């Protein structure tokens, strides 16, 4: 796994010499394999999944979904986390794999991992959900089940990355359509994201990115104003960070 992670050349060789053949992936992703071996295999696949569309055909032919579904409920937390990371990376560059994620009860299992006892699992579950609703809204109906859990993760004190991943995922649930607006409002997502924006610099960046997506929908925009959005914009308007100012501009341009 170290060779593949460290070099594009080794990634190419791994695929060329059968690393994504269905029989091979079926063997290395058997749940009965040692946890360390599973974690290594998942790391390699996640790295390959990061490559922009280069290996889409190979990965799809590898028939990963049935193995992924089983590993999401593995007894080893690291294997669960690595599986979520793989899913997040597969969805990183496009929605090519979205239809595959509808199979084998994968999405409900990822949602359930948002309440896992291990913080690393929660972090990567939120990451996977965020990328699974970034490119279009085709998975919104199922992933909408996670809204309440993601709002809860905004208060997770175990790891700052859990919070930022959850904020990003909530924002992506308003990125492509208004399908989940009512659910986001009833789960207090606008209120909690505004609160988060008064936190650390990283929290501020991610919450404002999410709020910019919220601001494009009438009902969410109304909810934001009810939670003193104007006061927040005045507060962060003094921030010199260019990314903060970009988000503020996006929000203001969408207000009606």
């Amino acid at each position: 796994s170290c060779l593949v992670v460290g070099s594009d050349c080794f990634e190419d060789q791994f695929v060329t010499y059968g690393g994504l053949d269905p029989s091979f992936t079926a063997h290395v992703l058997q749940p009965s394999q040692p946890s360390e071996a599973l974690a290594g295999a998942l790391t390699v696949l996640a790295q390959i999944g990061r490559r922009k569309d280069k290996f889409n055909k190979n990965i799809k032919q590898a028939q990963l979904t049935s193995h992924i579904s089983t590993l999401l409920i593995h007894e080893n937390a690291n294997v669960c986390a690595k599986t979520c990371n793989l899913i997040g990376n597969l969805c990183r560059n496009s929605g090519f794999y979205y239809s595959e994620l509808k199979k084998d009860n994968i999405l409900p299992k990822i949602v359930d991992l948002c309440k896992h006892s291990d913080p690393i699992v929660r972090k990567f579950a939120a990451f996977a959900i965020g990328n699974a609703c970034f490119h279009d809204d085709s998975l919104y109906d199922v992933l909408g089940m996670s809204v309440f859990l993601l709002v809860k993760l905004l208060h997770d004190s175990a790891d700052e990355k859990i919070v930022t991943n959850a904020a990003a995922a909530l924002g992506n649930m308003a990125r492509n359509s208004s399908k989940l607006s009512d659910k986001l409002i009833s789960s207090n997502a606008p209120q909690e994201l505004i609160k988060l924006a008064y936190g650390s610099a990283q929290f501020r960046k991610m919450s404002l990115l999410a709020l910019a997506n919220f601001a494009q929908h009438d009902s969410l925009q109304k909810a934001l104003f009810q939670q003193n959005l104007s006061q927040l914009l005045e507060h962060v308007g003094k921030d010199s960070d260019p990314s903060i100012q970009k988000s503020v501009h996006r929000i203001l341009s969408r207000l009606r």
Side-chain angles (χ1 to χ4, degrees), residues 28 30-39 74 79:
V28 298
Q30 279 289 334
S32 58
Q33 293 280 8
S35 296
E36 295 80 4
L38 283 170
H74 197 275
V79 171

Side-chain angles (χ1 to χ4, degrees), residues 68-247:
I68 285 174
S69 182
T70 303
L71 296 179
L72 285 170
I73 54 173
H74 197 275
E75 61 183 10
N76 183 275
N78 191 40
V79 171
C80 294
K82 295 279 188 182
T83 306
C84 287
N85 184 46
L86 168 59
I87 294 167
N89 278 326
L90 289 175
C91 299
R92 188 184 189 97
N93 298 306
S94 74
F96 182 84
Y97 298 102
Y98 282 5
S99 60
E100 294 293 303
L101 296 183
K102 294 179 180 179
K103 301 175 182 177
D104 299 301
N105 208 37
I106 288 174
L107 295 174
K109 289 177 181 178
I110 301 173
V111 171
D112 197 51
L113 290 176
C114 286
K115 53 187 177 182
H116 196 279
S117 60
D118 190 293
I120 299 176
V121 176
R122 299 197 299 274
K123 175 175 71 174
F124 284 110
F127 167 66
I129 291 170
N131 282 0
C133 53
F134 180 83
H135 301 287
D136 61 51
D137 67 354
S138 60
L139 301 181
Y140 276 17
D141 291 338
V142 180
L143 292 178
M145 298 185 299
S146 69
V147 170
F148 175 78
L149 294 172
L150 290 169
V151 171
K152 189 174 180 181
L153 290 183
L154 295 178
H155 300 278
D156 199 307
S157 60
D159 185 343
E160 189 172 281
K161 193 66 176 173
I162 296 174
V163 178
T164 56
N165 283 354
L170 289 167
N172 288 344
M173 289 182 173
R175 175 183 169 86
N176 301 296
S177 78
S178 60
K179 276 185 182 180
L180 296 177
S181 292
D182 290 345
K183 188 161 288 189
L184 289 164
I185 292 168
S186 65
S187 299
N188 293 322
Q191 175 183 349
E192 296 304 326
L193 284 168
I194 285 178
K195 287 181 182 178
L196 186 67
Y198 287 98
S200 69
Q202 194 59 34
F203 287 172
R204 190 174 307 121
K205 287 181 183 180
M206 296 310 301
S207 59
L208 287 170
L209 282 171
L211 292 171
N213 286 333
F214 281 24
Q216 63 187 327
H217 306 299
D218 290 341
S219 59
L220 282 166
Q221 190 177 119
K222 182 179 178 181
L224 291 175
F225 277 119
Q226 290 173 345
Q227 298 299 328
N228 295 318
L229 175 65
S230 300
Q231 183 178 331
L232 170 64
L233 293 177
E234 182 180 351
H235 174 73
V236 298
K238 304 167 187 175
D239 197 307
S240 60
D241 188 314
S243 64
I244 297 291
Q245 291 308 311
K246 183 177 180 180
S247 292

